Amino acid sequence: MSKLRFTFDGHDRTAAPDLSVAAALTECGTQAFRRTDSDAQRGIFCGMGVCQDCLVAIDGVPNQRACMTPLRDGMQIETQIARPKLTAPPAQKKAAKRLTPAVLVIGGGAGGLNAAIAAREEGADVLLLDERKVPGGQYFKQSASPDATPLDPQQADGKALLRAALDAGVQIQSQTEVWGAFDGPEIMASDPECVYAIRPRALIVATGAYERPAMIPGWTLPGVMTVGAAQTLWRSYRTLSGRRIALFGNGPLTAQVALELANGGAEIVLLGEAASSPWKRTQAATRMLRSDPRLTIKGIRMLAELRRQGVSLRHMTKPTKIEQTDSGLWVSYEVHGRTKQVEADAVCLNFGFQPQNEILRLLGTKMRFDSRYDQLRPERSEMMETSVHGVFAVGDCCGLGGAPAAAVEGRIAGRAAAGSKVTHTKEQSELSSHRAFQDALWQVYAATPVQLETVTPDTIVCRCEEITKRVLDDAMGNGHTDIGAVKRATRVGMGRCQGRYCGPALAGYMARRLDLDVQDLSFFAPRIPIKPVDIGTLVAAENLLDQDGSDD
Amino acid sequence: MVPMTDQIDLLVIGGGITGQCAALAAAEHGACVRIVDFKRNAGSHANAGSLHVQMQSRFLRLNPHLADNLESSLPLYLEAVAAWEALDRKLGGVELTREGGLMLADSPEQMTFLRQKAEREAKKGLSVDILDRDALPKIAPYLGSTIMGAEICHDEGKLNPLIANRKLEARLTELGVEHVYDRIIGFDMTTSNPIAKGTIDHSADQIVIAAAWGSGALANELGLAIKTPPEPLHMNITEAGDYRIHHLIQHAERPITLKQFRSGQVVIGGGWSAQAGEGDGIPTILSQSLLGNVALAATIAPGIGGLRLLRTWAGYNTPVDGKATIGPTLLHPRLHLALPGDAGYTLGPVVGQCAAALAMGFDPLTDPTPYAVSRWT
Ligand SMILES: Cc1cc2nc3c(=O)[nH]c(=O)nc-3n(C[C@H](O)[C@H](O)[C@H](O)COP(=O)(O)OP(=O)(O)OC[C@H]3O[C@@H](n4cnc5c(N)ncnc54)[C@H](O)[C@@H]3O)c2cc1C
Ligand SMILES: Cc1cc2nc3c(=O)[nH]c(=O)nc-3n(C[C@H](O)[C@H](O)[C@H](O)COP(=O)(O)OP(=O)(O)OC[C@H]3O[C@@H](n4cnc5c(N)ncnc54)[C@H](O)[C@@H]3O)c2cc1C
Ligand code: FES
């Protein structure tokens, strides 16, 4: 296939078709995409549209997320400066539509796709929105190229599920990002051509999770990214984040991605796991095997395969510092209490997951804190309905549960949202065994979390506003005891990512310092838009008001 | 409940900008001061940092019957920005600038309205001029082509309220002002010193009520028929751009305020409504306000169209009757009111200082007689 031509900061570049801008730049060896207010460089971090650190200017329009923007032939891409000029952008002709589907599903992962199919099978008209070019979510992570052969059964299953949803008559809109949720519920979303105001009869939120990083000095450097970001580069675009890759994390995802990248040709210089060896936790491992023998065996095979690939998996290992040198990234890490160092081109981090519950919190669903997983979970009925009538929630946006549980929850919620009262006891028992598996899995992987208590004062906690731990400590020292006051006093959480990374870390830190229980109010108040939205889109959406004459 | 025993000279109810400035003035005169604050829904924590001086078209439009109140308060607004400049110096900078405020017009009728308004304002001592279309591109190149002209008020400006609030709080702590969390529900006037009753009793020699939306209920306890209904308002902020918008921007007919912080972010507001919170809850965002407010901003200033909207929030404004209320309550001369009325962040420092001055017996920044409590009886 013929290559696409583009420029980066005026230099001619070429790349394969069906890449994101971020993947194309990575293929060309570029890791730094933008500069911050303090002139620090940033690049891909989350790979999924939430961190807002991969911003570039494209064809004169500033602040475009490289990871969410498909590369087009002829694009002129530039490093994003901290403060772009105030010039009116080229006039956009965005359309605006009001939609009223019976069931609206937000998110096309394991949870959302299954929910949509189940609701459709009950006869409801179903609209599913997903912000990615190809839906499938994190587990089924699809290739962005329509003709690519699936990498493995996981990707093939996802392709089949997506096909099944389309065959069932689910209306799927990809590249459509939800950015607003209002009482009603009324959902606001936009794609490159159109902005939507949607009032469904029932809403199913299936927005999944994002990854929890390790806040250590250097975690904001270009080339340091989440494990999921490197996985997306590989699985969706066949792009390696670097030649030499070091991965650090807690849980099976890090090892799985290390294997995928090794199979893809990367040199895995280190795979560090925070927990001790699973063989030392025999009771939990047995429970895991009992609740899901198939998945447990899959995990054991994966570890064997890693060994065959020559990847050394080190347990009780945690990164402590990352520095940029002329030849790459120099990572210091602790293994069994000793400090060692390794050099890599890309460093991947994953220390757990954080539910994407912004829409649920905006709609006011009751949340409770699950201290075992360190996550907020919405209160739900057996039918997956939240405390807000007609609003259902499934999958990892309700706290980590894994893809199999998300699928079952999706089916239950889909039927209920379509008005069916039928319950299947089999599904409830499937769910309990999936949940028992997750519980056992995380007991096997139990490790002391990387918490703010242990990081040095100069460590950046808020990536966006470049706020260090020292500044937060000072604010708390001045008697601020609620997170909103610390936010106003320091600007922590006021940046583009809406406090997605600093928020949960700070909420836990403050609660422990003040000896309080973590609850919904411990976190930053949810704010609209849940992701920055360009002003042209809002101008287009205003036409919707004129249509109903509800303007003030 | 057990009363607090230590001797307080001045108790300030409400820890927003007005209460803090009352406390600051008293503490600087050597008084022992306590602030008791409910820590809910302070307008001072939601506001946008516009330093208003000229009459806001929005207020005139919504409250034609209160136009005289607003007009007669103009001298207080001039004192207020002077008080802010002094505070800016005292606190070591709160990103205050006074590059003026533009009120834009896009029809001949609006130009006529601005001319008449400017004439009235000039009589009250404001420094105002009328600018025609040709004068605008040089000072405000980001404006749209429909704008026909503007009134410029050279007295207006802006500041960063996050910085101001933080520095003010630090200064108060330095001066030994004590912050207590409590909600006051009434008073006991039978003892030698008045007592403000909350979950505990707060006794002091003098009490200043600077509780904005909470002041009405407290004033009613004192036999004053003051209504202070909170007005839930909507705000928007964009990501940072190059610093080009130097003025505070408003419109002669449409509800908008628009300005840029030195940090590059554009703040858009202008009195679009939000949904009142339940009970003491914070107000929530209405989609029509978000869309209407931002779209209006983009029509007036297309130059901001390349930025993305980062966040919205809502808070409670307490406009009262468009005129400040300052001074002792008539039946209880040791209890004082400090209510700025509209544009309360602008007026807070001068109103707070004057109320504290009357309570503690030092010189007020301006003569507060026109704003006395007597008009409420
Ligand atoms: C980065 C990452 C990688 C993972 N990799 C694996 C793996 O390899 N193997 C494994 O077993 N488990 C993996 N997991 C866990 C597993 O993905 C989940 O348990 C499972 O995918 C949950 O399914 P879900 O439907 O709840 O969410 P997801 O599969 O995450 O799907 C959520 C979907 O919602 C969309 N979405 C989110 N917000 C919006 C919005 N505002 N507007 C529009 N669309 C939106 C997203 O694009 C996404 O497609 C991973 C998790 C993460 C976070
Ligand atoms: C969104 C928004 C934007 C605004 N923008 C501007 C602007 O740009 N420029 C401008 O000049 N003005 C602006 N205003 C108005 C301005 O913010 C307020 O008028 C001003 O902050 C009022 O200050 P205050 O100190 O009098 O009261 P507040 O800041 O409202 O503080 C009152 C305090 O009293 C407490 N309280 C209430 N009742 C009790 C009680 N019974 N016991 C104890 N404590 C109590 C409250 O909890 C609160 O903390 C804006 C307002 C809003 C909502
Ligand atoms: S990498 Fe693109 S938003 Fe995080």
Side-chain angles (χ1 to χ4, degrees):
Chain A
M1 234 180 302
S2 69
K3 291 214 160 194
L4 303 186
R5 300 159 63 85
F6 66 101
T7 63
F8 182 64
D9 287 343
H11 301 288
D12 289 324
R13 300 274 186 264
T14 58
D18 296 322
L19 295 187
S20 66
V21 168
L25 290 173
T26 305
E27 289 282 0
C28 298
T30 301
Q31 285 186 322
F33 294 6
R34 81 172 185 103
R35 284 183 178 273
T36 68
D37 234 25
S38 75
D39 212 31
Q41 293 185 316
R42 295 287 170 84
I44 304 174
F45 181 66
C46 70
M48 57 181 285
V50 299
C51 78
Q52 307 278 333
D53 256 342
C54 63
L55 300 180
V56 288
I58 301 176
D59 297 334
V61 183
N63 297 334
Q64 310 287 304
R65 282 169 302 172
C67 71
M68 299 300 279
T69 310
L71 181 75
R72 283 189 319 271
D73 197 43
M75 270 182 169
Q76 297 187 345
I77 304 169
E78 277 161 282
T79 297
Q80 180 59 58
I81 55 170
R83 300 193 190 175
K85 284 217 153 47
L86 293 192
T87 40
Q92 297 187 30
K93 283 268 180 303
K94 256 196 180 164
K97 282 189 197 152
R98 267 196 191 286
L99 303 174
T100 51
V103 176
L104 174 67
V105 181
I106 307 175
L113 286 170
N114 278 291
I117 294 171
R120 190 68 207 112
E121 282 170 358
E122 293 296 328
D125 74 302
V126 181
L127 173 64
L128 181 147
L129 309 179
D130 195 285
E131 63 202 346
R132 300 203 159 247
K133 190 176 162 214
V134 185
Q138 298 289 7
Y139 177 75
F140 292 124
K141 210 167 270 174
Q142 294 293 291
S143 168
S145 166
D147 351 280
T149 27
L151 267 179
D152 49 26
Q154 191 171 326
Q155 214 170 38
D157 289 351
K159 196 167 183 170
L161 185 62
L162 206 52
R163 185 74 258 154
L166 288 168
D167 290 346
V170 176
Q171 193 195 334
I172 297 184
Q173 291 227 152
S174 56
Q175 266 192 287
T176 309
E177 184 166 73
V178 170
W179 48 262
F182 304 87
D183 285 351
E186 181 180 42
I187 298 296
M188 295 269 180
S190 50
D191 65 20
E193 274 83 46
C194 192
V195 49
Y196 307 92
I198 310 170
R199 274 184 180 274
R201 269 214 306 277
L203 172 67
I204 303 177
V205 180
T207 43
Y210 64 101
E211 293 165 273
R212 201 178 284 158
M215 291 173 174
I216 53 170
W219 71 292
T220 55
L221 288 170
V224 180
M225 63 186 76
T226 65
V227 167
Q231 187 189 37
T232 300
L233 280 174
W234 175 243
R235 290 181 79 83
S236 295
Y237 306 107
R238 301 289 196 276
T239 296
L240 290 173
S241 41
R243 192 175 57 76
R244 300 166 300 168
I245 303 178
L247 300 96
F248 295 90
N250 180 214
L253 177 65
T254 311
Q256 182 189 326
V257 173
L259 179 60
E260 289 168 9
L261 299 176
N263 286 336
E267 179 191 342
I268 306 301
V269 294
L270 189 82
L271 167 56
E273 164 59 53
S276 59
S277 164
W279 314 119
K280 297 196 174 144
R281 303 223 162 99
T282 40
Q283 274 188 357
T286 316
R287 269 203 305 281
M288 215 170 101
L289 184 66
R290 219 179 297 136
S291 45
D292 196 333
R294 201 182 55 83
L295 266 184
T296 311
I297 290 165
K298 198 172 152 193
I300 294 171
R301 287 224 182 95
M302 176 182 82
L303 295 179
E305 181 69 18
L306 267 174
R307 225 167 300 130
R308 232 188 334 276
Q309 278 280 359
V311 175
S312 74
L313 165 57
R314 305 259 182 98
H315 287 96
M316 304 283 284
T317 302
K318 266 185 210 169
T320 53
K321 189 166 69 175
I322 308 170
E323 289 154 299
Q324 180 90 60
T325 67
D326 288 343
S327 55
L329 294 163
W330 193 238
V331 195
S332 305
Y333 62 97
E334 259 174 29
V335 51
H336 288 290
R338 295 211 345 259
T339 300
K340 296 193 168 188
Q341 289 174 321
V342 66
E343 197 181 52
D345 302 314
V347 180
C348 306
L349 307 170
N350 173 301
F351 288 84
F353 299 89
Q354 206 53 58
Q356 303 214 69
N357 51 22
E358 303 82 20
I359 295 172
L360 296 171
R361 293 183 71 215
L362 275 172
L363 294 177
T365 65
K366 273 207 196 86
M367 310 291 284
R368 75 187 156 74
F369 185 69
D370 179 347
S371 57
R372 289 172 319 153
Y373 285 81
D374 197 12
Q375 292 173 336
L376 278 181
R377 294 184 188 268
E379 288 178 8
R380 290 182 293 173
S381 71
E382 276 208 340
M383 310 307 283
M384 306 301 144
E385 190 168 11
T386 65
S387 62
V388 178
H389 179 67
V391 177
F392 297 77
V394 301
D396 281 5
C397 68
C398 306
L400 194 64
V408 180
E409 290 181 2
R411 285 198 291 277
I412 296 172
R415 276 201 313 274
S420 161
K421 300 262 183 292
V422 180
T423 55
H424 299 282
T425 41
K426 187 166 151 278
E427 283 173 341
Q428 295 295 344
S429 75
E430 272 173 40
L431 252 190
S432 353
S433 80
H434 294 319
R435 287 179 181 157
F437 175 80
Q438 278 295 321
D439 285 351
L441 174 73
W442 290 101
Q443 276 160 23
V444 167
Y445 278 99
T448 31
V450 185
Q451 290 180 330
L452 289 188
E453 280 84 342
T454 56
V455 309
T456 54
D458 295 331
T459 309
I460 287 181
V461 176
C462 169
R463 297 174 66 87
C464 301
E465 297 289 324
E466 307 183 273
I467 309 293
T468 59
K469 185 191 167 209
R470 175 180 292 115
V471 172
L472 300 177
D473 281 339
D474 286 350
M476 279 178 258
N478 286 337
H480 289 302
T481 52
D482 78 276
I483 196 164
V486 175
K487 180 175 178 178
R488 287 191 298 272
T490 64
R491 301 192 59 83
V492 65
M494 287 200 180
R496 295 183 171 104
C497 90
Q498 303 282 34
R500 278 180 172 82
Y501 295 98
C502 58
L506 181 60
Y509 182 50
M510 287 186 73
R512 290 188 299 274
R513 268 179 69 135
L514 299 164
D515 200 17
L516 297 171
D517 288 336
V518 183
Q519 46 171 328
D520 194 15
L521 283 175
S522 311
F523 294 81
F524 293 135
R527 298 279 196 216
I528 291 170
I530 62 175
K531 295 184 187 166
V533 54
D534 71 288
I535 286 178
T537 297
L538 297 171
V539 173
E542 202 224 1
N543 295 329
L544 293 171
L545 299 181
D546 299 344
Q547 281 169 25
D548 358 281
S550 66
D551 202 348
D552 74 326
Chain B
M1 292 291 266
V2 198
M4 291 209 163
T5 47
D6 42 342
Q7 181 55 50
I8 304 287
D9 301 322
L10 178 68
L11 178 77
V12 179
I13 304 174
I17 188 70
T18 312
Q20 286 186 314
C21 287
L24 178 69
E28 281 176 338
H29 280 83
C32 174
V33 185
R34 172 184 295 163
I35 294 177
V36 51
D37 186 32
F38 184 39
K39 286 198 183 170
R40 291 285 166 88
N41 282 321
S44 304
H45 291 163
N47 90 99
S50 306
L51 287 181
H52 290 291
V53 178
Q54 62 179 307
M55 292 187 279
Q56 293 188 60
S57 56
R58 157 187 134 77
F59 189 89
L60 297 175
R61 203 171 42 254
L62 293 177
N63 310 287
H65 58 294
L66 297 174
D68 287 348
N69 276 357
L70 191 58
E71 189 163 356
S72 63
S73 301
L74 287 174
L76 189 65
Y77 281 85
L78 287 175
E79 293 294 341
V81 282
W84 262 115
E85 283 196 315
L87 197 55
D88 181 56
R89 283 191 299 274
K90 191 178 287 175
L91 298 177
V94 297
E95 287 185 5
L96 183 146
T97 65
R98 271 180 83 182
E99 291 163 277
L102 294 171
M103 191 172 283
L104 309 172
D106 43 25
S107 73
E109 295 74 37
Q110 291 169 12
M111 284 305 288
T112 310
F113 162 77
L114 289 181
R115 272 195 199 93
Q116 289 166 352
K117 185 169 91 74
E119 242 168 67
R120 282 155 68 189
E121 288 166 340
K123 284 199 191 115
K124 296 281 179 185
L126 272 58
S127 164
V128 288
D129 284 306
I130 294 293
L131 304 175
D132 61 17
R133 172 74 226 172
D134 299 340
L136 288 175
K138 221 169 74 206
I139 61 166
Y142 47 83
L143 289 177
S145 55
T146 56
I147 307 300
M148 287 186 64
E151 175 188 353
I152 182 164
C153 172
H154 302 286
D155 305 297
E156 292 196 311
K158 60 191 174 186
L159 59 90
N160 187 327
L162 290 173
I163 297 178
N165 292 341
R166 171 164 53 79
K167 291 195 170 176
L168 192 51
E169 205 174 280
R171 179 78 189 118
L172 291 172
T173 307
E174 249 169 52
L175 288 168
V177 172
E178 188 193 2
H179 282 81
V180 180
Y181 165 76
D182 201 356
R183 178 179 212 167
I184 302 304
I185 48 171
F187 302 95
D188 183 350
M189 312 300 297
T190 59
T191 48
S192 61
N193 272 342
I195 290 175
K197 301 183 78 66
T199 55
I200 55 169
D201 287 353
H202 306 263
S203 142
D205 188 43
Q206 303 283 328
I207 297 180
V208 166
I209 303 171
W213 50 266
S215 302
L218 295 178
N220 296 352
E221 291 283 312
L222 302 169
L224 291 166
I226 303 184
K227 287 207 178 70
T228 54
E231 178 191 30
L233 292 185
H234 175 98
M235 289 298 312
N236 314 275
I237 192 162
T238 69
E239 48 193 353
D242 186 27
Y243 181 62
R244 290 300 293 284
I245 306 179
H246 295 233
H247 300 91
L248 166 63
I249 307 289
Q250 298 184 77
H251 194 273
E253 204 169 281
R254 312 247 20 219
I256 184 117
T257 59
L258 183 152
K259 65 185 163 300
Q260 193 175 18
F261 286 152
R262 288 313 290 254
S263 57
Q265 295 173 305
V266 179
V267 187
I268 302 165
W272 291 69
S273 51
Q275 171 91 47
E278 274 169 42
D280 295 322
I282 52 169
T284 53
I285 300 298
L286 294 169
S287 57
Q288 58 268 36
S289 288
L290 159 63
L291 302 178
N293 199 179
V294 175
L296 177 58
T299 333
I300 288 173
I304 65 168
L307 301 175
R308 295 180 302 168
L309 181 75
L310 202 58
R311 200 160 24 256
T312 58
W313 70 91
Y316 281 134
N317 183 30
T318 311
V320 202
D321 61 343
K323 186 172 173 178
T325 304
I326 306 171
T329 60
L330 307 169
L331 288 174
H332 305 288
R334 288 159 76 186
L335 260 63
H336 309 257
L337 282 173
L339 273 175
D342 207 33
Y345 202 71
T346 305
L347 294 175
V350 72
V351 170
Q353 194 276 348
C354 288
L358 294 183
M360 306 307 295
F362 51 85
D363 284 344
L365 287 172
T366 185
D367 173 17
T369 337
Y371 314 101
V373 176
S374 52
R375 78 173 184 277
W376 293 106
T377 41

